[in-house]
Amino acid sequence: MLSLLRISCRIAARRAVVQAPRRYLSEGSADRGGGGAGVEDGVGETRQRLEGLVKKDKVVVFIKGTPAQPMCGFSNAVVQILRMHGVENYGSYNVLEDQEIRQGIKNYSNWPTIPQIYFDGEFVGGCDILLQMHQNGDLVEELKKLGIRSALLDTEKEDKK
């Protein structure tokens, strides 16, 4: 019984932490009553900040943790896929360090989960999409469009020798 109570408390605490920023950052929240110019300005500032971040580098990822130390399996998978393709110079943002970015990027992309991947400022998807692109070869082509040669092409040449 005590463990069930602890779980319920943890879930309630997580909801409080996650939902509070959502009300503040969701678009149009100022129109829902009770919001003033400060809320609207905060939404606009967050959106502008995120637009700048996603366009800053050719490849940008929003992950839990850092590329050197991912803090979840999905973030780790994204880092490993990029590493396999030899993508080393990319923008990476740890959503665990900034709750405004963590919720704001979900609103910005209209994608509910982290990690999120962007190519040339365009939203690609999450871990599942990147993995699918890797498996079917589309990732090599998308990287080529960005001017990035996949390291897997070099590996294939070496294997054929």
Side-chain angles (χ1 to χ4, degrees):
M1 181 69 174
L2 186 58
S3 63
L4 183 60
L5 180 60
R6 283 186 203 151
I7 292 170
S8 296
C9 290
R10 285 182 193 152
I11 290 170
R14 285 181 187 154
R15 284 184 182 153
V17 169
V18 172
Q19 289 176 353
R22 183 175 296 155
R23 286 191 299 273
Y24 176 75
L25 293 172
S26 62
E27 289 189 57
S29 60
D31 299 333
R32 293 187 185 137
V39 171
E40 188 174 296
D41 290 346
V43 171
E45 288 173 13
T46 301
R47 186 160 190 82
Q48 285 179 335
R49 180 179 174 204
L50 291 169
E51 282 179 18
L53 294 177
V54 300
K55 293 177 181 178
K56 189 174 179 181
D57 296 287
K58 288 182 181 184
V59 177
V60 174
V61 296
F62 292 84
I63 60 174
K64 293 178 181 176
T66 65
Q69 190 173 12
M71 300 301 286
C72 84
F74 298 111
S75 295
N76 185 44
V78 166
V79 169
Q80 294 303 322
I81 291 168
L82 292 175
R83 190 172 291 147
M84 275 192 285
H85 285 269
V87 181
E88 295 178 10
N89 295 321
Y90 59 92
S92 172
Y93 300 95
N94 181 357
V95 300
L96 298 177
E97 290 181 347
D98 189 332
Q99 287 298 315
E100 191 172 276
I101 287 180
R102 185 176 188 168
Q103 186 57 46
I105 198 63
K106 293 176 185 180
N107 294 339
Y108 180 83
S109 64
N110 199 26
W111 189 263
T113 59
I114 303 292
Q116 292 189 14
I117 299 96
Y118 291 78
F119 290 166
D120 257 351
E122 296 293 321
F123 178 63
V124 174
C127 176
D128 54 341
I129 303 297
L130 193 68
L131 179 60
Q132 183 179 24
M133 291 172 68
H134 165 70
Q135 290 172 336
N136 67 21
D138 289 345
L139 185 54
V140 172
E141 295 302 315
E142 290 301 316
L143 291 173
K144 185 177 180 181
K145 291 177 187 176
L146 299 173
I148 301 171
R149 179 175 170 80
S150 172
L152 291 182
L153 294 175
D154 298 332
T155 304
E156 286 178 9
K157 284 183 182 179
E158 288 177 15
D159 289 344
K160 289 180 182 178
K161 289 182 183 179

mmCIF file with all atom_site columns, all heavy atoms in Angstrom, residues 63-81:
data_model
loop_
_atom_site.group_PDB
_atom_site.id
_atom_site.type_symbol
_atom_site.label_atom_id
_atom_site.label_alt_id
_atom_site.label_comp_id
_atom_site.label_asym_id
_atom_site.label_entity_id
_atom_site.label_seq_id
_atom_site.pdbx_PDB_ins_code
_atom_site.Cartn_x
_atom_site.Cartn_y
_atom_site.Cartn_z
_atom_site.occupancy
_atom_site.B_iso_or_equiv
_atom_site.pdbx_formal_charge
_atom_site.auth_seq_id
_atom_site.auth_comp_id
_atom_site.auth_asym_id
_atom_site.auth_atom_id
_atom_site.pdbx_PDB_model_num
ATOM 1   N N   . ILE A 1 63 ? 17.700 16.554 -26.732 1.00 0.00 ? 63 ILE A N   1
ATOM 2   C CA  . ILE A 1 63 ? 17.777 15.251 -26.078 1.00 0.00 ? 63 ILE A CA  1
ATOM 3   C C   . ILE A 1 63 ? 17.772 15.411 -24.568 1.00 0.00 ? 63 ILE A C   1
ATOM 4   O O   . ILE A 1 63 ? 17.937 16.513 -24.045 1.00 0.00 ? 63 ILE A O   1
ATOM 5   C CB  . ILE A 1 63 ? 19.045 14.471 -26.515 1.00 0.00 ? 63 ILE A CB  1
ATOM 6   C CG1 . ILE A 1 63 ? 20.321 15.235 -26.153 1.00 0.00 ? 63 ILE A CG1 1
ATOM 7   C CG2 . ILE A 1 63 ? 19.001 14.140 -27.986 1.00 0.00 ? 63 ILE A CG2 1
ATOM 8   C CD1 . ILE A 1 63 ? 21.614 14.466 -26.429 1.00 0.00 ? 63 ILE A CD1 1
ATOM 9   N N   . LYS A 1 64 ? 17.595 14.295 -23.901 1.00 0.00 ? 64 LYS A N   1
ATOM 10  C CA  . LYS A 1 64 ? 17.734 14.250 -22.448 1.00 0.00 ? 64 LYS A CA  1
ATOM 11  C C   . LYS A 1 64 ? 19.183 13.883 -22.171 1.00 0.00 ? 64 LYS A C   1
ATOM 12  O O   . LYS A 1 64 ? 19.612 12.779 -22.483 1.00 0.00 ? 64 LYS A O   1
ATOM 13  C CB  . LYS A 1 64 ? 16.777 13.220 -21.843 1.00 0.00 ? 64 LYS A CB  1
ATOM 14  C CG  . LYS A 1 64 ? 15.323 13.606 -21.997 1.00 0.00 ? 64 LYS A CG  1
ATOM 15  C CD  . LYS A 1 64 ? 14.402 12.544 -21.434 1.00 0.00 ? 64 LYS A CD  1
ATOM 16  C CE  . LYS A 1 64 ? 12.952 12.947 -21.636 1.00 0.00 ? 64 LYS A CE  1
ATOM 17  N NZ  . LYS A 1 64 ? 12.040 11.892 -21.187 1.00 0.00 ? 64 LYS A NZ  1
ATOM 18  N N   . GLY A 1 65 ? 19.906 14.823 -21.627 1.00 0.00 ? 65 GLY A N   1
ATOM 19  C CA  . GLY A 1 65 ? 21.329 14.630 -21.379 1.00 0.00 ? 65 GLY A CA  1
ATOM 20  C C   . GLY A 1 65 ? 22.152 15.295 -22.469 1.00 0.00 ? 65 GLY A C   1
ATOM 21  O O   . GLY A 1 65 ? 21.684 16.208 -23.153 1.00 0.00 ? 65 GLY A O   1
ATOM 22  N N   . THR A 1 66 ? 23.363 14.813 -22.628 1.00 0.00 ? 66 THR A N   1
ATOM 23  C CA  . THR A 1 66 ? 24.282 15.353 -23.625 1.00 0.00 ? 66 THR A CA  1
ATOM 24  C C   . THR A 1 66 ? 24.737 14.220 -24.539 1.00 0.00 ? 66 THR A C   1
ATOM 25  O O   . THR A 1 66 ? 24.596 13.052 -24.178 1.00 0.00 ? 66 THR A O   1
ATOM 26  C CB  . THR A 1 66 ? 25.518 15.975 -22.938 1.00 0.00 ? 66 THR A CB  1
ATOM 27  O OG1 . THR A 1 66 ? 26.239 14.919 -22.271 1.00 0.00 ? 66 THR A OG1 1
ATOM 28  C CG2 . THR A 1 66 ? 25.125 17.056 -21.938 1.00 0.00 ? 66 THR A CG2 1
ATOM 29  N N   . PRO A 1 67 ? 25.319 14.541 -25.687 1.00 0.00 ? 67 PRO A N   1
ATOM 30  C CA  . PRO A 1 67 ? 25.835 13.465 -26.541 1.00 0.00 ? 67 PRO A CA  1
ATOM 31  C C   . PRO A 1 67 ? 26.869 12.592 -25.818 1.00 0.00 ? 67 PRO A C   1
ATOM 32  O O   . PRO A 1 67 ? 26.914 11.385 -26.031 1.00 0.00 ? 67 PRO A O   1
ATOM 33  C CB  . PRO A 1 67 ? 26.467 14.214 -27.719 1.00 0.00 ? 67 PRO A CB  1
ATOM 34  C CG  . PRO A 1 67 ? 25.677 15.478 -27.801 1.00 0.00 ? 67 PRO A CG  1
ATOM 35  C CD  . PRO A 1 67 ? 25.394 15.837 -26.363 1.00 0.00 ? 67 PRO A CD  1
ATOM 36  N N   . ALA A 1 68 ? 27.658 13.198 -24.948 1.00 0.00 ? 68 ALA A N   1
ATOM 37  C CA  . ALA A 1 68 ? 28.645 12.431 -24.192 1.00 0.00 ? 68 ALA A CA  1
ATOM 38  C C   . ALA A 1 68 ? 28.003 11.583 -23.099 1.00 0.00 ? 68 ALA A C   1
ATOM 39  O O   . ALA A 1 68 ? 28.542 10.537 -22.722 1.00 0.00 ? 68 ALA A O   1
ATOM 40  C CB  . ALA A 1 68 ? 29.682 13.366 -23.569 1.00 0.00 ? 68 ALA A CB  1
ATOM 41  N N   . GLN A 1 69 ? 26.851 12.033 -22.601 1.00 0.00 ? 69 GLN A N   1
ATOM 42  C CA  . GLN A 1 69 ? 26.175 11.306 -21.531 1.00 0.00 ? 69 GLN A CA  1
ATOM 43  C C   . GLN A 1 69 ? 24.654 11.420 -21.678 1.00 0.00 ? 69 GLN A C   1
ATOM 44  O O   . GLN A 1 69 ? 23.996 12.157 -20.952 1.00 0.00 ? 69 GLN A O   1
ATOM 45  C CB  . GLN A 1 69 ? 26.607 11.841 -20.166 1.00 0.00 ? 69 GLN A CB  1
ATOM 46  C CG  . GLN A 1 69 ? 26.141 11.001 -19.018 1.00 0.00 ? 69 GLN A CG  1
ATOM 47  C CD  . GLN A 1 69 ? 26.729 11.478 -17.699 1.00 0.00 ? 69 GLN A CD  1
ATOM 48  O OE1 . GLN A 1 69 ? 27.305 12.545 -17.606 1.00 0.00 ? 69 GLN A OE1 1
ATOM 49  N NE2 . GLN A 1 69 ? 26.564 10.673 -16.678 1.00 0.00 ? 69 GLN A NE2 1
ATOM 50  N N   . PRO A 1 70 ? 24.089 10.659 -22.635 1.00 0.00 ? 70 PRO A N   1
ATOM 51  C CA  . PRO A 1 70 ? 22.628 10.660 -22.794 1.00 0.00 ? 70 PRO A CA  1
ATOM 52  C C   . PRO A 1 70 ? 21.963 10.092 -21.542 1.00 0.00 ? 70 PRO A C   1
ATOM 53  O O   . PRO A 1 70 ? 22.482 9.165  -20.929 1.00 0.00 ? 70 PRO A O   1
ATOM 54  C CB  . PRO A 1 70 ? 22.390 9.750  -23.998 1.00 0.00 ? 70 PRO A CB  1
ATOM 55  C CG  . PRO A 1 70 ? 23.722 9.578  -24.648 1.00 0.00 ? 70 PRO A CG  1
ATOM 56  C CD  . PRO A 1 70 ? 24.749 9.797  -23.595 1.00 0.00 ? 70 PRO A CD  1
ATOM 57  N N   . MET A 1 71 ? 20.815 10.653 -21.192 1.00 0.00 ? 71 MET A N   1
ATOM 58  C CA  . MET A 1 71 ? 20.142 10.252 -19.959 1.00 0.00 ? 71 MET A CA  1
ATOM 59  C C   . MET A 1 71 ? 18.897 9.389  -20.197 1.00 0.00 ? 71 MET A C   1
ATOM 60  O O   . MET A 1 71 ? 18.149 9.130  -19.277 1.00 0.00 ? 71 MET A O   1
ATOM 61  C CB  . MET A 1 71 ? 19.755 11.500 -19.154 1.00 0.00 ? 71 MET A CB  1
ATOM 62  C CG  . MET A 1 71 ? 20.944 12.364 -18.761 1.00 0.00 ? 71 MET A CG  1
ATOM 63  S SD  . MET A 1 71 ? 22.156 11.512 -17.762 1.00 0.00 ? 71 MET A SD  1
ATOM 64  C CE  . MET A 1 71 ? 21.299 11.438 -16.209 1.00 0.00 ? 71 MET A CE  1
ATOM 65  N N   . CYS A 1 72 ? 18.677 8.978  -21.440 1.00 0.00 ? 72 CYS A N   1
ATOM 66  C CA  . CYS A 1 72 ? 17.595 8.025  -21.716 1.00 0.00 ? 72 CYS A CA  1
ATOM 67  C C   . CYS A 1 72 ? 17.973 7.211  -22.943 1.00 0.00 ? 72 CYS A C   1
ATOM 68  O O   . CYS A 1 72 ? 18.812 7.621  -23.750 1.00 0.00 ? 72 CYS A O   1
ATOM 69  C CB  . CYS A 1 72 ? 16.244 8.715  -21.888 1.00 0.00 ? 72 CYS A CB  1
ATOM 70  S SG  . CYS A 1 72 ? 15.897 9.356  -23.522 1.00 0.00 ? 72 CYS A SG  1
ATOM 71  N N   . GLY A 1 73 ? 17.366 6.064  -23.081 1.00 0.00 ? 73 GLY A N   1
ATOM 72  C CA  . GLY A 1 73 ? 17.693 5.152  -24.174 1.00 0.00 ? 73 GLY A CA  1
ATOM 73  C C   . GLY A 1 73 ? 17.406 5.729  -25.548 1.00 0.00 ? 73 GLY A C   1
ATOM 74  O O   . GLY A 1 73 ? 18.159 5.500  -26.492 1.00 0.00 ? 73 GLY A O   1
ATOM 75  N N   . PHE A 1 74 ? 16.329 6.486  -25.684 1.00 0.00 ? 74 PHE A N   1
ATOM 76  C CA  . PHE A 1 74 ? 15.986 7.060  -26.981 1.00 0.00 ? 74 PHE A CA  1
ATOM 77  C C   . PHE A 1 74 ? 16.984 8.138  -27.377 1.00 0.00 ? 74 PHE A C   1
ATOM 78  O O   . PHE A 1 74 ? 17.393 8.215  -28.541 1.00 0.00 ? 74 PHE A O   1
ATOM 79  C CB  . PHE A 1 74 ? 14.556 7.608  -26.970 1.00 0.00 ? 74 PHE A CB  1
ATOM 80  C CG  . PHE A 1 74 ? 13.527 6.553  -26.712 1.00 0.00 ? 74 PHE A CG  1
ATOM 81  C CD1 . PHE A 1 74 ? 12.804 6.532  -25.526 1.00 0.00 ? 74 PHE A CD1 1
ATOM 82  C CD2 . PHE A 1 74 ? 13.277 5.562  -27.652 1.00 0.00 ? 74 PHE A CD2 1
ATOM 83  C CE1 . PHE A 1 74 ? 11.862 5.552  -25.286 1.00 0.00 ? 74 PHE A CE1 1
ATOM 84  C CE2 . PHE A 1 74 ? 12.320 4.571  -27.415 1.00 0.00 ? 74 PHE A CE2 1
ATOM 85  C CZ  . PHE A 1 74 ? 11.611 4.567  -26.233 1.00 0.00 ? 74 PHE A CZ  1
ATOM 86  N N   . SER A 1 75 ? 17.374 8.959  -26.418 1.00 0.00 ? 75 SER A N   1
ATOM 87  C CA  . SER A 1 75 ? 18.397 9.972  -26.699 1.00 0.00 ? 75 SER A CA  1
ATOM 88  C C   . SER A 1 75 ? 19.715 9.299  -27.063 1.00 0.00 ? 75 SER A C   1
ATOM 89  O O   . SER A 1 75 ? 20.411 9.723  -27.990 1.00 0.00 ? 75 SER A O   1
ATOM 90  C CB  . SER A 1 75 ? 18.589 10.893 -25.487 1.00 0.00 ? 75 SER A CB  1
ATOM 91  O OG  . SER A 1 75 ? 17.414 11.643 -25.249 1.00 0.00 ? 75 SER A OG  1
ATOM 92  N N   . ASN A 1 76 ? 20.046 8.232  -26.358 1.00 0.00 ? 76 ASN A N   1
ATOM 93  C CA  . ASN A 1 76 ? 21.268 7.491  -26.656 1.00 0.00 ? 76 ASN A CA  1
ATOM 94  C C   . ASN A 1 76 ? 21.213 6.912  -28.075 1.00 0.00 ? 76 ASN A C   1
ATOM 95  O O   . ASN A 1 76 ? 22.206 6.956  -28.806 1.00 0.00 ? 76 ASN A O   1
ATOM 96  C CB  . ASN A 1 76 ? 21.471 6.369  -25.637 1.00 0.00 ? 76 ASN A CB  1
ATOM 97  C CG  . ASN A 1 76 ? 22.788 5.661  -25.838 1.00 0.00 ? 76 ASN A CG  1
ATOM 98  O OD1 . ASN A 1 76 ? 23.825 6.284  -26.049 1.00 0.00 ? 76 ASN A OD1 1
ATOM 99  N ND2 . ASN A 1 76 ? 22.761 4.338  -25.781 1.00 0.00 ? 76 ASN A ND2 1
ATOM 100 N N   . ALA A 1 77 ? 20.066 6.391  -28.476 1.00 0.00 ? 77 ALA A N   1
ATOM 101 C CA  . ALA A 1 77 ? 19.929 5.830  -29.819 1.00 0.00 ? 77 ALA A CA  1
ATOM 102 C C   . ALA A 1 77 ? 20.159 6.893  -30.886 1.00 0.00 ? 77 ALA A C   1
ATOM 103 O O   . ALA A 1 77 ? 20.857 6.650  -31.879 1.00 0.00 ? 77 ALA A O   1
ATOM 104 C CB  . ALA A 1 77 ? 18.547 5.198  -29.984 1.00 0.00 ? 77 ALA A CB  1
ATOM 105 N N   . VAL A 1 78 ? 19.618 8.092  -30.688 1.00 0.00 ? 78 VAL A N   1
ATOM 106 C CA  . VAL A 1 78 ? 19.820 9.184  -31.639 1.00 0.00 ? 78 VAL A CA  1
ATOM 107 C C   . VAL A 1 78 ? 21.302 9.532  -31.743 1.00 0.00 ? 78 VAL A C   1
ATOM 108 O O   . VAL A 1 78 ? 21.844 9.661  -32.841 1.00 0.00 ? 78 VAL A O   1
ATOM 109 C CB  . VAL A 1 78 ? 18.982 10.424 -31.229 1.00 0.00 ? 78 VAL A CB  1
ATOM 110 C CG1 . VAL A 1 78 ? 19.426 11.677 -31.975 1.00 0.00 ? 78 VAL A CG1 1
ATOM 111 C CG2 . VAL A 1 78 ? 17.507 10.158 -31.461 1.00 0.00 ? 78 VAL A CG2 1
ATOM 112 N N   . VAL A 1 79 ? 21.957 9.652  -30.601 1.00 0.00 ? 79 VAL A N   1
ATOM 113 C CA  . VAL A 1 79 ? 23.386 9.972  -30.580 1.00 0.00 ? 79 VAL A CA  1
ATOM 114 C C   . VAL A 1 79 ? 24.182 8.880  -31.300 1.00 0.00 ? 79 VAL A C   1
ATOM 115 O O   . VAL A 1 79 ? 25.085 9.174  -32.100 1.00 0.00 ? 79 VAL A O   1
ATOM 116 C CB  . VAL A 1 79 ? 23.877 10.160 -29.124 1.00 0.00 ? 79 VAL A CB  1
ATOM 117 C CG1 . VAL A 1 79 ? 25.391 10.224 -29.050 1.00 0.00 ? 79 VAL A CG1 1
ATOM 118 C CG2 . VAL A 1 79 ? 23.251 11.416 -28.518 1.00 0.00 ? 79 VAL A CG2 1
ATOM 119 N N   . GLN A 1 80 ? 23.847 7.625  -31.047 1.00 0.00 ? 80 GLN A N   1
ATOM 120 C CA  . GLN A 1 80 ? 24.575 6.512  -31.672 1.00 0.00 ? 80 GLN A CA  1
ATOM 121 C C   . GLN A 1 80 ? 24.353 6.464  -33.184 1.00 0.00 ? 80 GLN A C   1
ATOM 122 O O   . GLN A 1 80 ? 25.293 6.189  -33.941 1.00 0.00 ? 80 GLN A O   1
ATOM 123 C CB  . GLN A 1 80 ? 24.165 5.174  -31.034 1.00 0.00 ? 80 GLN A CB  1
ATOM 124 C CG  . GLN A 1 80 ? 24.567 5.033  -29.580 1.00 0.00 ? 80 GLN A CG  1
ATOM 125 C CD  . GLN A 1 80 ? 26.059 5.199  -29.357 1.00 0.00 ? 80 GLN A CD  1
ATOM 126 O OE1 . GLN A 1 80 ? 26.875 4.764  -30.153 1.00 0.00 ? 80 GLN A OE1 1
ATOM 127 N NE2 . GLN A 1 80 ? 26.417 5.865  -28.269 1.00 0.00 ? 80 GLN A NE2 1
ATOM 128 N N   . ILE A 1 81 ? 23.149 6.730  -33.633 1.00 0.00 ? 81 ILE A N   1
ATOM 129 C CA  . ILE A 1 81 ? 22.867 6.743  -35.070 1.00 0.00 ? 81 ILE A CA  1
ATOM 130 C C   . ILE A 1 81 ? 23.676 7.843  -35.745 1.00 0.00 ? 81 ILE A C   1
ATOM 131 O O   . ILE A 1 81 ? 24.310 7.611  -36.788 1.00 0.00 ? 81 ILE A O   1
ATOM 132 C CB  . ILE A 1 81 ? 21.356 6.907  -35.344 1.00 0.00 ? 81 ILE A CB  1
ATOM 133 C CG1 . ILE A 1 81 ? 20.604 5.649  -34.911 1.00 0.00 ? 81 ILE A CG1 1
ATOM 134 C CG2 . ILE A 1 81 ? 21.097 7.224  -36.820 1.00 0.00 ? 81 ILE A CG2 1
ATOM 135 C CD1 . ILE A 1 81 ? 19.088 5.803  -34.872 1.00 0.00 ? 81 ILE A CD1 1
#
